[in-house]
Amino acid sequence: MGCKKSKKESQSNMITDNTQMDSDSIIKTTFGAMPDGTQVEKYTLKNPKGMEVDVITYGGIITRWTAPDKTGKYEDVVLGFDDLKSYLDGNPFFGALVGRYCNRIAKGKFNLDGKTYTLATNNGENHLHGGLKGFDKAVWKAEAKSTKKGSVLELTYTSADGEEGYPGKLDVKVTYTLTDDNELEVLYEAKTDKATVVNLTQHSYFNLSGNFTQSVLDHELFLNAGAFLTVDAGLIPTGELKPVVGTPFDFTTAHLIGQEIDSRNEQLQLGNGYDHCWVLNKKEREFELGARAYHPTTGRVLEVYTDEPGVQFYSGNFLDGTLPAQKGSIYGKRAGFCLETQHYPDSPNQPSFPSVRLNPGEAYTSKTTFKFLTK
């Protein structure tokens, strides 16, 4: 899973020189309060080029992320809300940190060392994205730093033994680093006191046009993946790693997201579009380019690098025009796409998949970098 290290090796290798928060690069404000009165803070990370990333302590959610177009104009390129209530009222994981296990676990059950664990079934008969109150609904502790590498926000959360049905007390740290090269590095770290399963991701919805009234079907996508996981009617992997060649799932040559999304293809029909995990062309733990998205009109390019074995490409199929967007508009169908770097869905129930087990004394680490360019 991502990478496991001994306790001695598990310390973060972040540069922490000049840890005083710099008001020019990090701004802290209040975003709202939870029903129990807990304050939710917002941190705005900035770099000298003009990129800004807003992160709130509720769910570690990225609420706003500006990126330049080919003329140098910075616009927000992620779906989100302007107020806490909209997030609390329910949303499809906009911008959130997802865990303890991102994606689906069949029938909300898995076996570990001879014991069956039962989780919430919050997606039909299956468990999705950590359950009824996953990491996306927790208020994380935050520490902001200005470092030589860039503006840094460290978020920490302790998931209690038995929370949402998972075994083991899990101590989690997620570090967002905004560099001067318009990169956002996301480093995930975790340790447990009992054997458990872990699979973390970042769930931002991107629309590189900066116009959320438009769909993302006019974006070009490249996926560095020669196979994808076929799914059943509940979007649980069947266990087959199907070659993409000759299918609408072949993004090894970049093409428009909308080019084949409405093809008469059983897998597309099951997902109402793309909602599948691609198997990346790389060695285990190797940090490589996994995906590249390009919006020809604005010239914005997003590259995603990861050490994870898979990426879930979701084309926003279930956005239905009921959620409010900025400037009084709404988020329509396919108004955003997700590139969720991760281990495969349902891995605890599929021994042939890479392991997601974490034992005491081991350290879970995973890294993904989102890099913005123009052309």
Side-chain angles (χ1 to χ4, degrees), residues 2 16 44 52 61 80 86-87 163 259 276 324 332 340 372:
T16 54
T44 300
E52 297 184 3
I61 292 170
S86 296
Y87 288 103
E163 182 177 279
Q259 182 171 309
H276 298 71
E340 307 158 51
F372 281 94

Side-chain angles (χ1 to χ4, degrees), residues 180-258:
D180 294 350
D181 294 323
N182 282 352
E183 297 173 334
L184 185 71
E185 295 182 358
V186 188
L187 176 65
Y188 308 88
E189 299 171 275
K191 60 182 181 179
T192 184
D193 64 356
K194 291 182 184 177
T196 191
V197 296
V198 186
N199 193 20
L200 307 180
T201 197
Q202 218 296 326
H203 207 296
S204 284
Y205 287 68
F206 295 96
N207 186 324
L208 303 184
S209 75
N211 182 350
F212 302 127
T213 65
Q214 297 181 1
S215 82
V216 295
L217 299 184
D218 63 346
H219 289 52
E220 292 182 4
L221 181 66
F222 163 78
L223 294 175
N224 184 20
F228 73 103
L229 303 183
T230 59
V231 296
D232 64 17
L235 300 183
I236 296 293
T238 64
E240 178 189 17
L241 277 63
K242 184 178 178 65
V244 298
V245 63
T247 77
F249 292 80
D250 189 354
F251 286 92
T252 54
T253 299
H255 62 79
L256 295 178
I257 291 173

Side-chain angles (χ1 to χ4, degrees), residues 239-308:
E240 178 189 17
L241 277 63
K242 184 178 178 65
V244 298
V245 63
T247 77
F249 292 80
D250 189 354
F251 286 92
T252 54
T253 299
H255 62 79
L256 295 178
I257 291 173
Q259 182 171 309
E260 296 186 85
I261 199 169
D262 294 320
S263 300
R264 293 180 61 85
N265 174 279
E266 180 187 19
Q267 287 294 308
L268 286 175
Q269 291 169 347
L270 289 171
N272 196 26
Y274 296 108
D275 192 5
H276 298 71
C277 186
W278 271 254
V279 178
L280 295 176
N281 293 330
K282 64 184 197 63
K283 298 176 182 177
E284 186 179 0
R285 301 180 183 176
E286 191 175 27
F287 188 75
E288 289 289 345
L289 177 70
R292 180 187 297 111
Y294 169 55
H295 186 248
T297 303
T298 62
R300 289 190 179 98
V301 178
L302 169 64
E303 294 182 339
V304 182
Y305 296 82
T306 188
D307 56 11
E308 287 288 330

